Amino acid sequence: MEGFVDYIQAFLDLGATVILPVAIFLLGLFFGQKPGKAFRSGLTIGVAFVGIFLVIDLLVLNLGPAAQGMVDRLGVELNVIDVGWPATSSIAWASVVAAFIIPLGLVVNVIMLLTKTTKTMNVDIWNFWHYTFMAAMVYAISDSIIQGLIAAVLFQIVCLKVADWTAPMMSEFYELPGVSIATGSTISYAPGIFLVKGIQKIPGIRNWNADPDTIQKRFGIFGESIFIGLFLGAAIGALAGYSVGEIIEIGMAMAAVMVLMPRMVKILMEGLMPVSESAREWLNKRFGDKEIYIGLDAAVALGHPAVISTALILVPITVVLAVILPGNAVLPFGDLATIPFIVAFIVGAARGNIVHSVIVGAIMIAISLYIATDVAPMFTQMAENANFDMPEGSASISSIDQGGNIVNWVIYKVFALFN
């Protein structure tokens, strides 16, 4: 069993840039595409994700040190370290239940497609680690592989149903027809959609509008996304106590993120559309007019400037929230760069209104901090069982991403009642 898990880990370590092209190529063949056309679609999507993750690396490498600078300037002393999603995923795959998750997840998805309980064909196998972490948490409290796998399936079903529900948003707002997002971290923030609808009914607040188009109309050339990235990046650098040169450097990096990410997403859609059309034709011939969505990584939503703008504003807000929230013990760090992923649905529901997105995003992050604090003892125990190297000077760890995941927490608490 351990050898099988090692093979799975080796496959997943190849990342989305390899896994997704292979999955798209096989899907293209299944839906009747010629091998050459299917291979080109997979290759194009692979190239797009290489570009997307290069831009994300640019974001992470600049936000991480800036966040640390803000924390140091505030003199924050919290005893639970946010280790980020990379560490969280490695802890998840170290569990004994990990070997079952990918085959089980694929079977569940196929069954739901055949029974018409989902419209999403989730090819984002790379992000199955969210299901694995869910299973690992329940296994840790129950010592039951069966309970762990049931928990993972419940988590997956929620992800697929939310992906179906939000797919029209992906088409209408993000201009990604035929695409849905079933990424576990993004799904956790779906309740923010209801909060957006709520604040848009509050007199006064509902009139606060700052979407990219409105900003550009008001400020002209200086309202373009490239200038917004420059300004927000420079502001973060200033809050981190950077020198003038470093402030300019991080500003340029964020301007680059704003410009490059939409171009990468366009390349992605160039590769995805032929497969999506083939799938639709194949299904129509056999099952009538049936709609199907292809589930992709939430990174595809980062092409909209409102998502990056909202996330950059929320970075210092998250650090401040960690300081002022009574009862919070989590020091935000590793997952600050994942904020663009977790606010995608919120920004889409707000139709790009950055003001409303920031308000709701701050509320949801505050909830995540409390949840991450609550699960920190279990999170730390799982890390110790996985022989994880704890950050220097920390006795307890958690994460905003999966540790603060609302869906994960609810399912975990339900199983905790019986264990």
Side-chain angles (χ1 to χ4, degrees):
M1 181 67 72
E2 186 176 344
F4 182 55
V5 174
D6 289 340
Y7 281 121
I8 290 177
Q9 186 62 58
F11 173 66
L12 292 170
D13 285 344
L14 296 174
T17 56
V18 174
I19 296 172
L20 279 173
V22 171
I24 293 297
F25 171 67
L26 294 176
L27 277 179
L29 293 179
F30 179 80
F31 290 126
Q33 282 189 321
K34 293 181 179 180
K37 189 175 181 180
F39 184 75
R40 187 184 188 283
S41 291
L43 186 61
T44 302
I45 286 174
V47 169
F49 266 98
V50 168
I52 286 171
F53 285 118
L54 283 173
V55 178
I56 290 172
D57 284 345
L58 181 64
L59 183 71
V60 171
L61 292 173
N62 282 275
L63 278 187
Q68 185 64 57
M70 283 186 279
V71 168
D72 292 342
R73 292 191 79 194
L74 287 171
V76 180
E77 293 184 7
L78 297 169
N79 58 8
V80 179
I81 304 298
D82 165 26
V83 293
W85 73 262
T88 308
S89 64
S90 66
I91 292 168
W93 290 117
S95 171
V96 298
V97 297
F100 303 98
I101 297 302
I102 290 181
L104 179 63
L106 294 172
V107 168
V108 169
N109 198 173
V110 169
I111 291 173
M112 291 184 69
L113 285 166
L114 292 175
T115 56
K116 300 182 180 180
T117 49
T118 187
K119 297 179 180 179
T120 294
M121 180 181 294
N122 189 16
V123 300
D124 187 21
I125 300 171
W126 185 62
N127 269 310
F128 276 27
W129 74 263
H130 293 280
Y131 311 154
T132 308
F133 190 87
M134 177 77 265
M137 280 192 77
V138 172
Y139 175 76
I141 60 169
S142 67
D143 201 29
S144 167
I145 291 177
I146 298 299
Q147 287 192 46
L149 297 180
I150 291 172
V153 169
L154 291 174
F155 192 100
Q156 180 182 7
I157 290 172
V158 172
C159 288
L160 290 172
K161 298 302 289 185
V162 174
D164 291 344
W165 174 48
T166 53
M169 175 201 301
M170 301 305 299
S171 177
E172 296 164 13
F173 178 74
Y174 288 104
E175 298 180 354
L176 298 171
V179 170
S180 64
I181 291 177
T183 307
S185 51
T186 309
I187 295 298
S188 174
Y189 278 60
I193 295 173
F194 300 106
L195 291 179
V196 169
K197 293 179 179 178
I199 68 168
Q200 288 182 338
K201 294 179 181 178
I202 300 175
I205 296 179
R206 66 187 177 195
N207 297 323
W208 297 351
N209 190 21
D211 61 81
D213 289 339
T214 302
I215 293 173
Q216 187 168 350
K217 288 178 183 177
R218 182 169 297 178
F219 296 101
I221 189 173
F222 294 103
E224 294 178 9
S225 60
I226 187 172
F227 288 101
I228 294 173
L230 177 67
F231 171 75
L232 292 177
I236 288 175
L239 290 171
Y242 281 3
S243 66
V244 174
E246 291 171 325
I247 289 173
I248 295 172
E249 187 176 354
I250 191 173
M252 286 298 298
M254 295 306 105
V257 170
M258 286 288 204
V259 173
L260 295 175
M261 189 62 80
R263 282 145 170 89
M264 296 304 106
V265 173
K266 285 181 179 178
I267 296 172
L268 173 80
M269 291 308 297
E270 180 186 328
L272 185 64
M273 287 310 296
V275 178
S276 183
E277 288 300 320
S278 297
R280 195 166 288 109
E281 290 173 9
W282 189 90
L283 290 166
N284 287 344
K285 287 179 182 178
R286 289 160 179 80
F287 303 105
D289 189 17
K290 180 177 173 62
E291 191 172 22
I292 189 168
Y293 309 123
I294 296 178
L296 295 177
D297 189 293
V300 299
L302 271 59
H304 199 287
V307 174
I308 301 296
S309 299
T310 298
L312 292 178
I313 295 170
L314 282 171
V315 167
I317 290 175
T318 300
V319 175
V320 172
L321 283 173
V323 176
I324 66 174
L325 286 175
N328 170 64
V330 175
L331 175 64
F333 180 64
D335 275 328
L336 285 173
T338 67
I339 292 177
F341 295 84
I342 61 182
V343 299
F345 287 161
I346 292 172
V347 174
R351 309 298 298 175
N353 188 321
I354 297 171
V355 175
H356 293 170
S357 299
V358 168
I359 293 171
V360 174
I363 295 170
M364 295 300 297
I365 287 173
I367 295 171
S368 284
L369 287 170
Y370 279 125
I371 292 174
T373 298
D374 182 62
V375 304
M378 175 56 68
F379 198 112
T380 305
Q381 179 187 323
M382 291 168 61
E384 291 171 349
N385 293 342
N387 296 318
F388 176 75
D389 291 331
M390 300 287 283
E392 187 177 347
S394 67
S396 188
I397 62 173
S398 189
S399 75
I400 295 175
D401 185 324
Q402 193 68 10
N405 189 295
I406 295 172
V407 178
N408 182 90
W409 182 76
V410 170
I411 296 174
Y412 166 69
K413 287 296 184 181
V414 170
F415 278 86
L417 293 174
F418 304 101
N419 291 280

Short mmCIF file of all heavy atoms in Angstrom, two decimals, residues 5 21 25-26 36 45 53 62 71 93 99 101 104 173 186 207 260 268 272 282 291 293 297 323 328 350 358 373 405:
data_model
loop_
_atom_site.label_atom_id
_atom_site.label_comp_id
_atom_site.label_asym_id
_atom_site.label_seq_id
_atom_site.Cartn_x
_atom_site.Cartn_y
_atom_site.Cartn_z
N VAL A 5 0.92 4.44 -2.71
CA VAL A 5 0.79 5.85 -2.34
C VAL A 5 1.96 6.65 -2.90
O VAL A 5 1.80 7.78 -3.37
CB VAL A 5 0.71 6.01 -0.81
CG1 VAL A 5 0.74 7.49 -0.42
CG2 VAL A 5 -0.54 5.35 -0.26
N PRO A 21 -3.08 18.37 -19.04
CA PRO A 21 -2.96 18.06 -20.47
C PRO A 21 -3.25 16.60 -20.79
O PRO A 21 -3.90 16.29 -21.79
CB PRO A 21 -1.49 18.41 -20.78
CG PRO A 21 -1.14 19.45 -19.80
CD PRO A 21 -1.88 19.07 -18.55
N PHE A 25 -6.33 15.45 -23.11
CA PHE A 25 -6.04 14.62 -24.29
C PHE A 25 -6.92 13.36 -24.29
O PHE A 25 -7.54 13.02 -25.31
CB PHE A 25 -4.56 14.23 -24.31
CG PHE A 25 -4.20 13.22 -25.35
CD1 PHE A 25 -4.28 13.54 -26.70
CD2 PHE A 25 -3.79 11.94 -24.99
CE1 PHE A 25 -3.94 12.59 -27.68
CE2 PHE A 25 -3.45 11.00 -25.95
CZ PHE A 25 -3.53 11.33 -27.30
N LEU A 26 -6.99 12.69 -23.15
CA LEU A 26 -7.81 11.48 -23.05
C LEU A 26 -9.30 11.79 -23.22
O LEU A 26 -10.04 11.03 -23.86
CB LEU A 26 -7.56 10.79 -21.70
CG LEU A 26 -6.14 10.23 -21.50
CD1 LEU A 26 -5.98 9.67 -20.09
CD2 LEU A 26 -5.84 9.15 -22.54
N GLY A 36 -4.54 14.04 -33.24
CA GLY A 36 -3.76 15.27 -33.39
C GLY A 36 -4.45 16.46 -32.76
O GLY A 36 -3.81 17.28 -32.08
N ILE A 45 -3.45 23.64 -23.34
CA ILE A 45 -3.85 23.84 -21.95
C ILE A 45 -2.65 23.70 -21.02
O ILE A 45 -2.50 24.45 -20.05
CB ILE A 45 -4.98 22.85 -21.58
CG1 ILE A 45 -6.29 23.29 -22.23
CG2 ILE A 45 -5.15 22.74 -20.06
CD1 ILE A 45 -7.44 22.35 -22.07
N PHE A 53 0.91 29.39 -13.76
CA PHE A 53 1.64 29.13 -12.52
C PHE A 53 2.93 29.93 -12.43
O PHE A 53 3.41 30.22 -11.33
CB PHE A 53 1.91 27.63 -12.37
CG PHE A 53 0.67 26.87 -11.97
CD1 PHE A 53 0.14 25.89 -12.79
CD2 PHE A 53 0.02 27.15 -10.78
CE1 PHE A 53 -1.02 25.21 -12.44
CE2 PHE A 53 -1.13 26.47 -10.41
CZ PHE A 53 -1.65 25.50 -11.24
N ASN A 62 6.52 37.51 -4.26
CA ASN A 62 6.51 38.91 -3.82
C ASN A 62 5.62 39.13 -2.61
O ASN A 62 5.96 39.93 -1.73
CB ASN A 62 6.04 39.81 -4.98
CG ASN A 62 7.13 40.06 -5.99
OD1 ASN A 62 7.96 40.95 -5.83
ND2 ASN A 62 7.15 39.24 -7.04
N VAL A 71 3.90 41.61 9.19
CA VAL A 71 3.80 40.93 10.48
C VAL A 71 4.89 41.41 11.43
O VAL A 71 4.64 41.70 12.60
CB VAL A 71 3.90 39.39 10.28
CG1 VAL A 71 4.08 38.69 11.62
CG2 VAL A 71 2.66 38.86 9.57
N TRP A 93 -1.42 13.79 1.86
CA TRP A 93 -1.00 12.61 1.09
C TRP A 93 -0.17 11.63 1.91
O TRP A 93 0.06 10.49 1.47
CB TRP A 93 -0.22 13.04 -0.15
CG TRP A 93 -1.07 13.69 -1.19
CD1 TRP A 93 -0.97 14.98 -1.64
CD2 TRP A 93 -2.17 13.12 -1.89
NE1 TRP A 93 -1.94 15.23 -2.57
CE2 TRP A 93 -2.70 14.10 -2.75
CE3 TRP A 93 -2.79 11.86 -1.88
CZ2 TRP A 93 -3.79 13.88 -3.59
CZ3 TRP A 93 -3.87 11.63 -2.70
CH2 TRP A 93 -4.36 12.63 -3.55
N ALA A 99 -4.23 6.59 -0.69
CA ALA A 99 -4.17 5.73 -1.87
C ALA A 99 -5.54 5.53 -2.51
O ALA A 99 -5.63 5.23 -3.71
CB ALA A 99 -3.60 4.36 -1.47
N ILE A 101 -8.10 7.80 -2.65
CA ILE A 101 -8.86 9.01 -2.97
C ILE A 101 -9.04 9.25 -4.47
O ILE A 101 -10.15 9.52 -4.94
CB ILE A 101 -8.22 10.25 -2.30
CG1 ILE A 101 -8.26 10.10 -0.78
CG2 ILE A 101 -8.95 11.52 -2.73
CD1 ILE A 101 -9.65 9.93 -0.20
N LEU A 104 -11.34 6.56 -6.09
CA LEU A 104 -12.68 6.75 -5.54
C LEU A 104 -13.31 8.03 -6.08
O LEU A 104 -14.50 8.04 -6.46
CB LEU A 104 -12.61 6.80 -4.01
CG LEU A 104 -13.94 7.03 -3.28
CD1 LEU A 104 -14.90 5.87 -3.53
CD2 LEU A 104 -13.70 7.21 -1.77
N PHE A 173 -19.81 36.04 -16.10
CA PHE A 173 -18.93 37.07 -15.58
C PHE A 173 -17.48 36.88 -16.02
O PHE A 173 -16.82 37.81 -16.47
CB PHE A 173 -19.00 37.13 -14.05
CG PHE A 173 -18.07 38.14 -13.45
CD1 PHE A 173 -18.36 39.50 -13.54
CD2 PHE A 173 -16.90 37.76 -12.81
CE1 PHE A 173 -17.50 40.46 -13.01
CE2 PHE A 173 -16.03 38.70 -12.27
CZ PHE A 173 -16.33 40.05 -12.37
N THR A 186 -11.81 27.12 -2.95
CA THR A 186 -12.74 28.11 -3.52
C THR A 186 -14.18 27.79 -3.10
O THR A 186 -14.96 28.70 -2.77
CB THR A 186 -12.63 28.12 -5.05
OG1 THR A 186 -11.27 28.25 -5.42
CG2 THR A 186 -13.42 29.28 -5.65
N ASN A 207 -24.60 51.17 -2.96
CA ASN A 207 -24.20 52.14 -3.99
C ASN A 207 -22.69 52.31 -4.09
O ASN A 207 -22.21 53.05 -4.95
CB ASN A 207 -24.86 53.50 -3.71
CG ASN A 207 -26.38 53.43 -3.77
OD1 ASN A 207 -26.94 52.72 -4.59
ND2 ASN A 207 -27.04 54.17 -2.88
N LEU A 260 -0.44 39.90 -17.33
CA LEU A 260 -0.12 38.58 -17.88
C LEU A 260 -1.19 37.52 -17.61
O LEU A 260 -1.42 36.65 -18.46
CB LEU A 260 1.22 38.10 -17.32
CG LEU A 260 2.45 38.92 -17.72
CD1 LEU A 260 3.69 38.42 -17.00
CD2 LEU A 260 2.66 38.87 -19.23
N LEU A 268 -5.56 29.33 -22.35
CA LEU A 268 -6.24 28.17 -21.78
C LEU A 268 -7.54 27.89 -22.50
O LEU A 268 -7.84 26.74 -22.87
CB LEU A 268 -6.50 28.42 -20.29
CG LEU A 268 -7.34 27.37 -19.57
CD1 LEU A 268 -6.49 26.17 -19.22
CD2 LEU A 268 -7.98 27.93 -18.31
N LEU A 272 -9.19 24.67 -24.48
CA LEU A 272 -10.34 24.00 -23.88
C LEU A 272 -11.57 23.96 -24.77
O LEU A 272 -12.33 22.98 -24.76
CB LEU A 272 -10.69 24.70 -22.55
CG LEU A 272 -11.80 24.06 -21.72
CD1 LEU A 272 -11.39 22.67 -21.26
CD2 LEU A 272 -12.15 24.94 -20.53
N TRP A 282 -21.00 15.05 -28.45
CA TRP A 282 -21.06 13.63 -28.10
C TRP A 282 -22.26 13.35 -27.19
O TRP A 282 -22.98 12.38 -27.37
CB TRP A 282 -19.75 13.25 -27.40
CG TRP A 282 -19.57 11.77 -27.16
CD1 TRP A 282 -18.99 10.86 -27.98
CD2 TRP A 282 -19.95 11.04 -25.98
NE1 TRP A 282 -18.99 9.62 -27.40
CE2 TRP A 282 -19.58 9.70 -26.16
CE3 TRP A 282 -20.58 11.40 -24.77
CZ2 TRP A 282 -19.79 8.71 -25.21
CZ3 TRP A 282 -20.80 10.42 -23.83
CH2 TRP A 282 -20.42 9.10 -24.04
N GLU A 291 -26.16 19.51 -20.99
CA GLU A 291 -25.07 20.44 -20.75
C GLU A 291 -24.03 19.80 -19.84
O GLU A 291 -24.37 19.08 -18.90
CB GLU A 291 -25.60 21.72 -20.09
CG GLU A 291 -24.60 22.86 -20.04
CD GLU A 291 -25.25 24.15 -19.57
OE1 GLU A 291 -26.30 24.06 -18.90
OE2 GLU A 291 -24.70 25.22 -19.86
N TYR A 293 -20.10 20.60 -17.88
CA TYR A 293 -19.04 21.55 -17.56
C TYR A 293 -17.75 20.77 -17.31
O TYR A 293 -17.78 19.65 -16.79
CB TYR A 293 -19.38 22.34 -16.30
CG TYR A 293 -20.74 23.00 -16.31
CD1 TYR A 293 -21.66 22.73 -15.29
CD2 TYR A 293 -21.10 23.87 -17.32
CE1 TYR A 293 -22.91 23.33 -15.29
CE2 TYR A 293 -22.35 24.48 -17.32
CZ TYR A 293 -23.25 24.20 -16.31
OH TYR A 293 -24.48 24.78 -16.31
N ASP A 297 -9.02 24.01 -12.32
CA ASP A 297 -8.43 24.70 -11.18
C ASP A 297 -8.96 26.13 -11.10
O ASP A 297 -9.17 26.79 -12.12
CB ASP A 297 -6.91 24.71 -11.35
CG ASP A 297 -6.18 25.20 -10.10
OD1 ASP A 297 -6.33 26.38 -9.76
OD2 ASP A 297 -5.47 24.40 -9.49
N VAL A 323 -4.71 40.04 14.17
CA VAL A 323 -4.26 40.73 15.38
C VAL A 323 -5.44 41.12 16.27
O VAL A 323 -5.41 40.95 17.49
CB VAL A 323 -3.44 41.98 15.02
CG1 VAL A 323 -3.06 42.76 16.28
CG2 VAL A 323 -2.20 41.59 14.24
N ASN A 328 -8.59 34.48 18.14
CA ASN A 328 -7.82 33.94 17.03
C ASN A 328 -6.39 33.67 17.47
O ASN A 328 -5.78 34.48 18.17
CB ASN A 328 -7.80 34.91 15.85
CG ASN A 328 -6.82 34.48 14.77
OD1 ASN A 328 -6.98 33.43 14.15
ND2 ASN A 328 -5.79 35.27 14.57
N ALA A 350 -20.28 39.53 -6.88
CA ALA A 350 -20.34 41.00 -6.77
C ALA A 350 -20.19 41.68 -8.11
O ALA A 350 -20.17 42.92 -8.18
CB ALA A 350 -19.25 41.48 -5.82
N VAL A 358 -14.30 43.06 -1.12
CA VAL A 358 -13.38 43.19 0.01
C VAL A 358 -14.14 43.04 1.33
O VAL A 358 -13.67 42.36 2.26
CB VAL A 358 -12.63 44.53 -0.04
CG1 VAL A 358 -11.90 44.81 1.27
CG2 VAL A 358 -11.64 44.54 -1.20
N THR A 373 -8.09 28.12 13.77
CA THR A 373 -7.69 28.07 15.17
C THR A 373 -8.28 26.84 15.86
O THR A 373 -7.60 26.14 16.62
CB THR A 373 -8.16 29.34 15.91
OG1 THR A 373 -7.52 30.49 15.32
CG2 THR A 373 -7.80 29.29 17.39
N ASN A 405 -11.16 25.77 6.10
CA ASN A 405 -12.19 25.46 5.11
C ASN A 405 -13.53 25.16 5.80
O ASN A 405 -13.61 24.24 6.63
CB ASN A 405 -11.74 24.27 4.27
CG ASN A 405 -12.64 24.00 3.09
OD1 ASN A 405 -13.79 23.65 3.24
ND2 ASN A 405 -12.09 24.14 1.89
#
